[in-house]
Amino acid sequence: LPTRLPWLSYINFTLNFLSLVSGPIQRYEDYTEQQDKKTSGIDALTLVKVAERVTLGVFKGFVVSMRLLDQHKLAVAALGYDLSAAESIGITLQIVLLYPLYLYANFSGYCDVVIALGRLFRLELPENFNRPSSSENFINFWSRWHITLSGWLKTYVYSPLMMTLMPKVRGGAAADALVGAFAFFVTFFLVGAWHGTTTEFLFFGLLQGGGVVLPVVAEQGAE
């Protein structure tokens, strides 16, 4: 049965500036668990680690990411010139590769700073990135990139969709697989679209959803 939440604790959680704007997303139960047990105190070693991670995050977010963004803009501008086919392909590849690298450096740098500062408030915020470039497929990618958002959408979008649609669909394993593919598409589209409401990010969401669904559909078609 649902329990009444302590209003002061919930207000503190809701107004937590460390995860209010962009994440990482911390669950309320994880937040309250830390409040109950409290993390270890702040010693000299902790301060050194905090300073190190803040420095790394600032460097990634304000130096590396801005340099990547400048290069991306230059590549986009270069498409307006009269280029050969090979040059156009090379510039297009630069655009495709540079922007995700910019997003990673910018967002992971921000998360480094927020997670490190959270430690000063005795909060262990969840990690949001785990070497996403080593992912084998789209699903694995989103278990490594913006991990907390993926987990949140799995809980509040994917699982409810599956529980709602599965009892209403008849047709055996093939139908179940297609329902799962549809739920995956909706979830991963939202994952991509969350990063921005421009057409670029909506297209990014479609690519993410399609990348997850197409292998499932192809497998069902082969059977």
Side-chain angles (χ1 to χ4, degrees), residues 40 79 134 143 202 221:
S40 57
L79 285 179
S134 62
S143 69
L202 294 178

Side-chain angles (χ1 to χ4, degrees), residues 10 16 26 47 72 155 191 204 220:
Y10 187 72
N16 179 11
Q26 186 176 46
L47 290 176
H72 177 266
T155 300
V191 166
F204 180 54
Q220 291 302 313

Side-chain angles (χ1 to χ4, degrees), residues 93-110:
L93 288 176
Q94 287 185 48
I95 293 171
V96 171
L97 291 174
L98 285 172
Y99 200 73
L101 290 175
Y102 154 72
L103 285 178
Y104 172 73
N106 184 268
F107 194 19
S108 66
Y110 165 83

Side-chain angles (χ1 to χ4, degrees), residues 135-147:
S135 304
E136 300 173 355
N137 50 54
F138 283 100
I139 295 178
N140 187 242
F141 175 79
W142 284 109
S143 69
R144 295 171 176 269
W145 174 293
H146 208 337
I147 300 169

Side-chain angles (χ1 to χ4, degrees), residues 110-124:
Y110 165 83
C111 288
D112 284 336
V113 173
V114 169
I115 291 172
L117 292 179
R119 187 66 186 84
L120 296 180
F121 291 88
R122 299 189 179 186
L123 286 176
E124 296 286 352

